[in-house]
Amino acid sequence: MLQKLQDSRNGLGFLFMLPAAVLLLVFLTYPLGLGTWLGFTDAKVGRAGEWVGLENYRYLWGDSVTRLALFNTLFYTTIASVLKFVLGLWLALLLNRNLRMKTFFRAVILLPYIVPTALSALAFWWIYDAQFSVISWVLVKLGVIDTYIDFLGEPWNARFSTIAANVWRGVPFVAITLLAGLQTISPSYYEASAIDGATPWQQFRHVTLPLLTPIIAVVMTFSVLFTFTDFQLIYVLTRGGPLNATHLMATLSFQRAISGGALGEGAAISIAMVPFLLAAIMFSYFGLQRRAWQQGGADR
């Protein structure tokens, strides 16, 4: 039996995928199933709870804090993801050139990404401190402002401050991944387009961007997923404050389920995030489908 599996290409592939499938089943499928079940119950910490159907979701639909958390999450994810893409693509194009010490710069750019999230959040917490902020100190010394900025104490300041911290941490991942994609594009495409008189902008628009689309789809899917489910950065910096202005769905779910003890309500908030995450995955799927279509057209 084992020998037949080893001789079969499909069977060998199944054997290689089996450990990963078991891990996904244990650490993904079971928690997701349990969370879905809890979302339909009134479970509390220390009490199993009873089936209440859609009651948790009806309550959350009318809950102003939950609606604010949804707005915050969509705003945070959209702005941060767009900025990470623009800055990451710009850095990737820059690092793809023949620069001196480009290997060194490629390594240095990864530093924000490899630093633990909690440590990064603590650093930004100090940078944004209302009394000792280095940003405010520099701006005061330059005469730009008269008083220190309350970065984390005013709702909109806090929103943009957390977005800035997330962008700083996430840009290296986008840049390095897109740089890897740029390395796969053959120089012959650019040589042919240059012979035809294409400008650098036309080369970027008609050569680089179309060939990079599948990589962009994948990297932005991961970027959106990581940003939408961000927890550590927000929890360390603001814990959802001030006035719930930076509460994301993930932090609100934790607050309701763990701090507040309402496991059913917290689970319902988490499950409500799933449709948005599936939408991000579909974005990647259609990006890859476009690539397959392009390859099919090229084969013909």
Side-chain angles (χ1 to χ4, degrees):
M1 178 67 178
L2 183 61
Q3 185 63 37
K4 289 183 178 180
L5 285 175
Q6 291 177 345
D7 294 337
S8 170
R9 183 175 180 180
N10 292 334
L12 192 60
F14 172 78
L15 286 178
F16 283 132
M17 291 296 295
L18 188 59
V22 172
L23 288 175
L24 287 175
L25 185 65
V26 174
F27 294 107
L28 181 63
T29 307
Y30 173 73
L32 180 61
L34 179 61
T36 303
W37 164 258
L38 289 174
F40 292 103
T41 69
D42 61 353
K44 306 285 185 182
V45 173
R47 180 169 66 84
E50 298 179 356
W51 178 269
V52 294
L54 296 174
E55 187 61 32
N56 287 327
Y57 296 96
R58 292 194 190 97
Y59 169 75
L60 294 174
W61 181 258
D63 181 33
S64 60
V65 177
T66 305
R67 292 201 300 267
L68 179 60
L70 177 59
F71 165 77
N72 291 337
T73 305
L74 294 175
F75 182 80
Y76 179 82
T77 303
T78 302
I79 302 300
S81 297
V82 170
L83 289 175
K84 282 187 283 189
F85 170 69
V86 172
L87 293 174
L89 181 59
W90 174 72
L91 282 174
L93 292 171
L94 189 64
L95 293 174
N96 194 44
R97 297 179 179 178
N98 292 322
L99 302 174
R100 294 181 60 183
M101 301 177 64
K102 64 179 180 181
T103 304
F104 171 77
F105 290 119
R106 289 176 182 179
V108 168
I109 200 176
L110 279 174
L111 287 178
Y113 187 71
I114 63 177
V115 173
T117 306
L119 187 59
S120 299
L122 287 174
F124 274 99
W125 181 77
W126 176 77
I127 292 172
Y128 292 147
D129 188 87
Q131 295 181 343
F132 305 104
S133 169
V134 65
I135 298 176
S136 294
W137 181 82
V138 171
L139 293 177
V140 168
K141 292 297 182 181
L142 292 175
V144 178
I145 59 176
D146 297 324
T147 59
Y148 277 30
I149 302 171
D150 191 3
F151 286 102
L152 301 179
E154 198 278 329
W156 279 104
N157 283 351
R159 288 189 179 104
F160 287 113
S161 296
T162 53
I163 288 173
N166 180 273
V167 169
W168 178 85
R169 177 166 173 76
V171 162
F173 169 75
V174 177
I176 293 300
T177 308
L178 293 182
L179 176 61
L182 289 172
Q183 297 288 302
T184 65
I185 301 177
S186 174
S188 61
Y189 291 111
Y190 298 103
E191 293 170 1
S193 62
I195 293 173
D196 290 337
T199 63
W201 166 249
Q202 290 173 329
Q203 289 180 332
F204 171 77
R205 182 181 176 184
H206 298 291
V207 178
T208 304
L209 208 55
L211 294 176
L212 206 59
T213 296
I215 305 298
I216 292 174
V218 173
V219 71
M220 289 311 298
T221 298
F222 280 104
S223 177
V224 168
L225 292 178
F226 294 154
T227 307
F228 194 90
T229 58
D230 195 6
F231 173 81
Q232 295 182 66
L233 192 64
I234 300 297
Y235 191 76
V236 175
L237 273 177
T238 65
R239 300 208 174 189
L243 302 175
N244 300 313
T246 59
H247 250 319
L248 305 184
M249 298 289 282
T251 56
L252 183 63
S253 173
F254 178 84
Q255 184 190 69
R256 297 284 176 87
I258 306 303
S259 303
L263 291 177
E265 191 176 322
I269 295 174
S270 296
I271 297 303
M273 298 167 62
V274 172
F276 298 98
L277 301 178
L278 289 176
I281 294 173
M282 292 304 296
F283 172 81
S284 175
Y285 170 78
F286 285 117
L288 295 176
Q289 285 294 101
R290 178 180 177 181
R291 176 60 173 174
W293 176 83
Q294 289 175 337
Q295 289 178 336
D299 292 341
R300 287 193 296 271

